[in-house]
């Protein structure tokens, strides 16, 4: 007897596709209440971002303003802003290296070589300034690429490679400067104007502030529309308006300060341009995502098809390039190249600026804007102590204490994030 056939079951309905969305992104649709909740969560998880350095900068300025009424004058603040650019440029390159979880000890010497190269090519051999400037910057690029080659291709630890570079390039600088040891630059020349030129017209400062505010608002607004069109949580318009208003307050306050002194410094304009461009590269391009990926996990990056050796070499070339640019700004500030260039506290200040600003020593977390915050803290401390007539040893001790506090915060943050399952 043939058994009755089992009736075919209707096909099960296809499971509805569910789009996984990080709950942390949903706060953008919950308005300010959502951001308050997110802020509380970040505090519990130890993800403080740039809050400690901003609070620290405010405290530093408040202390020095109470000790000396000249600290917050337009002239002193303008001098601080120009003086910080050389070290800040070097710190930008350091940020790239730290994002890999590595270090570059050669940047001070490379910056000295760049300044010396420019002086020798332009002053001693009569080469046009623009060409000597380009070649001196490329000197830094080549030096960084050499370090990257030995680190990425040969496998020599970055600490050893860049320590050797520190010694080699310092000796190379002394060699090309010769027995004289100092070469003075043209006070009205191209490099001297990097730190010495000011846009005296008040329209320049206010115009730059307007451009910054408008570009920020339009970028945020259209980025929001793009996210909304893609079905991704986005910020409410009210928050964009608030952020734009806060930026406007800061931008116009800075413009007012500059216009009360000599005007808008060219050095500051160039530094801000570098920060905007490098921040875009790191956050908005495939190259930047690869840098962060390498800082997160070398093996995972390799399995994802990233050319680890090439990326590492390119990052050190970038570090050398910005070291050279910073060296030119330092030479511009003193209108000379001498045997002391790139020595002293420059290396430590550049690394400290990146770390104090919020870039993690453990790799994978940071922004080039951290260089601005960090170098502003360090330069403010130096100028504040100088106004009080406090000797350099005390300046070193205080800067070292601030750096240690920052590294402790970074380590505690990393440990807390691991406990919260986010690292």
């Amino acid at each position: 007897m043939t058994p009755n056939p089992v009736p075919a079951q209707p096909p099960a309905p296809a499971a509805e596709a569910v789009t996984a969305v990080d709950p942390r992104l949903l706060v953008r649709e919950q308005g300010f209440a959502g951001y308050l909740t997110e802020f509380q969560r970040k505090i519990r998880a130890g993800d403080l971002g740039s809050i400690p350095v901003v609070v620290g900068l405010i405290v530093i300025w408040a202390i020095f303003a109470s000790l000396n009424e000249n600290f917050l004058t337009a002239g002193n603040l303008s001098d601080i802003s120009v003086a910080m650019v050389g070290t800040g440029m070097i710190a930008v390159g350091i940020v790239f290296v730290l994002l890999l979880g590595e270090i570059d000890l050669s940047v001070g010497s490379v910056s000295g070589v760049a300044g010396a190269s420019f002086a020798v090519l332009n002053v001693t051999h009569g080469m046009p300034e623009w060409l000597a400037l380009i070649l001196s910057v490329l000197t830094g690029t080549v030096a960084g690429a050499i370090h990257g080659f030995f680190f990425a291709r040969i496998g020599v630890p970055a600490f050893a490679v860049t320590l050797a570079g520190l010694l080699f390039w310092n000796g190379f600088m002394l060699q090309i400067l010769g027995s004289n040891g100092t070469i003075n630059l043209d006070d009205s020349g191209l490099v001297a104007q990097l730190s010495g030129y000011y846009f005296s017209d008040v329209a320049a400062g206010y115009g730059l502030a307007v451009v910054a505010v408008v570009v920020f608002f339009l970028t945020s607004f259209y980025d929001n529309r793009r996210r909304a069109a893609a079905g991704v949580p986005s910020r409410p318009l009210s928050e964009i308006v608030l952020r734009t208003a806060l930026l406007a307050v800061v931008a116009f306050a800075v413009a007012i300060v500059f216009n009360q002194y000599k005007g808008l410094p060219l050095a500051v304009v160039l530094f801000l341009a570098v920060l905007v461009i490098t921040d875009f590269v790191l956050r908005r391009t495939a190259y930047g995502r690869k840098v962060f990926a390498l800082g997160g996990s070398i093996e995972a990056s390799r399995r994802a098809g990233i050319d680890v050796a090439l990326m590492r070499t390119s990052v050190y070339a970038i570090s050398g390039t910005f070291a050279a640019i910073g060296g030119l700004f330092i030479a511009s500030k003193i209108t000379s190249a001498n045997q002391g260039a790139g020595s002293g506290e420059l290396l430590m200040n550049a690394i400290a600026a990146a770390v104090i600003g919020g870039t993690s020593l453990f790799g994978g977390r940071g922004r080039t804007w951290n260089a601005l915050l960090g170098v502003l803290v360090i330069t403010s401390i130096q100028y504040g102590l100088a106004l009080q007539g406090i000797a350099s040893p005390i300046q070193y001790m205080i800067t070292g204490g601030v750096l240690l506090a920052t590294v402790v915060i970074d380590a505690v943050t990393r440990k807390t994030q691991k406990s919260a399952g986010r690292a």
Side-chain angles (χ1 to χ4, degrees):
M1 181 175 175
T2 305
N4 294 329
V6 178
Q9 298 293 328
E16 294 183 1
V18 178
T19 302
V21 178
D22 188 340
R24 289 173 291 173
L25 295 177
L26 296 177
V27 299
R28 292 183 170 183
E29 295 182 338
Q30 298 172 3
F32 295 110
Y35 273 93
L36 179 60
T37 302
E38 175 69 0
F39 177 75
Q40 293 171 346
R41 184 198 62 77
K42 285 185 176 182
I43 294 298
R44 290 193 298 270
D47 187 6
L48 301 177
S50 298
I51 294 176
V53 67
V54 172
V55 173
L57 183 62
I58 293 173
V59 171
I60 289 170
W61 282 18
I63 291 174
F64 285 127
S66 65
L67 294 175
N68 194 310
E69 61 182 9
N70 292 322
F71 181 78
L72 289 182
T73 59
N76 191 60
L77 292 178
S78 181
D79 289 343
I80 289 174
S81 67
V82 173
M84 73 180 185
V85 172
T87 305
M89 288 289 191
I90 301 174
V92 169
I94 290 292
V95 169
F96 277 81
V97 175
L98 291 180
L99 286 175
L100 298 183
E102 301 296 341
I103 195 66
D104 189 349
L105 301 178
S106 68
V107 290
S109 296
V110 172
S111 71
V113 166
S117 299
F118 175 84
V120 170
L121 292 173
N122 173 241
V123 178
T124 306
H125 298 290
M127 181 179 290
E129 280 194 296
W130 64 270
L131 181 56
L133 186 147
I134 293 174
L135 291 178
S136 61
V137 171
L138 291 178
T139 299
T141 305
V142 171
I146 292 172
H147 302 153
F149 171 80
F150 281 102
F151 166 57
R153 302 289 182 180
I154 309 300
V156 183
F159 178 89
V161 171
T162 56
L163 179 59
L166 181 154
L167 299 173
F168 178 86
W169 297 117
N170 186 61
F172 182 74
M173 177 191 69
L174 297 177
Q175 179 67 30
I176 63 176
L177 284 176
S179 57
N180 185 34
T182 300
I183 300 177
N184 294 321
L185 304 179
D186 181 5
D187 291 344
S188 59
L190 177 62
V191 168
Q193 292 302 305
L194 290 177
S195 294
Y197 185 81
Y198 292 77
F199 297 96
S200 56
D201 192 336
V202 295
Y206 294 129
L208 181 61
V210 170
V211 169
V213 172
V214 171
V215 170
F216 176 82
F217 176 79
L218 293 178
T219 302
S220 302
F221 180 76
Y222 284 109
D223 182 61
N224 235 34
R225 291 186 59 181
R226 182 178 57 84
R227 295 178 66 89
V232 180
S234 55
R235 292 188 176 98
L237 180 60
S238 57
E239 187 202 340
I240 295 177
V241 172
L242 177 60
R243 286 170 176 258
T244 304
L246 291 175
L247 175 62
V249 171
V250 174
F252 281 95
V254 172
I256 290 172
V257 170
F258 285 148
N259 285 333
Q260 287 180 347
Y261 188 52
K262 295 180 180 179
L264 178 65
L266 173 63
V268 173
V269 175
L270 296 175
F271 188 34
L272 292 177
V274 164
L275 292 175
V276 171
I277 293 171
T278 52
D279 184 68
F280 177 84
V281 169
L282 283 176
R283 296 197 305 121
R284 301 285 185 173
T285 66
Y287 179 85
R289 288 190 288 271
K290 290 177 182 178
V291 172
F292 280 105
L294 284 173
S297 172
I298 296 295
E299 185 57 32
S301 300
R302 185 178 287 110
R303 291 176 181 236
I306 296 175
D307 190 334
V308 174
L310 178 62
M311 288 297 300
R312 283 175 159 178
T313 304
S314 68
V315 165
Y316 273 91
I318 289 172
S319 178
T321 300
F322 280 109
I325 294 173
L328 290 173
F329 274 93
I330 293 172
S332 170
K333 193 76 172 61
I334 60 177
T335 61
S336 69
N338 56 55
Q339 294 179 338
S343 60
E345 73 274 13
L346 178 61
L347 169 62
M348 291 299 102
N349 282 347
I351 297 175
V355 176
I356 289 173
T359 304
S360 175
L361 282 169
F362 303 99
R365 192 180 80 243
R367 297 179 62 179
T368 51
W369 287 99
N370 296 149
L372 171 62
L373 290 173
V375 75
L376 190 55
V377 168
I378 291 175
T379 311
S380 296
I381 291 174
Q382 292 174 338
Y383 270 66
L385 294 177
L387 285 176
Q388 295 302 114
I390 298 176
S392 295
I394 304 300
Q395 296 182 27
Y396 295 155
M397 293 166 64
I398 294 177
T399 304
V402 173
L403 176 59
L404 177 61
T406 305
V407 175
V408 169
I409 292 173
D410 184 28
V412 171
T413 297
R414 184 175 177 84
K415 184 182 296 185
T416 305
Q417 289 178 341
K418 282 184 177 180
S419 301
R422 294 188 56 208

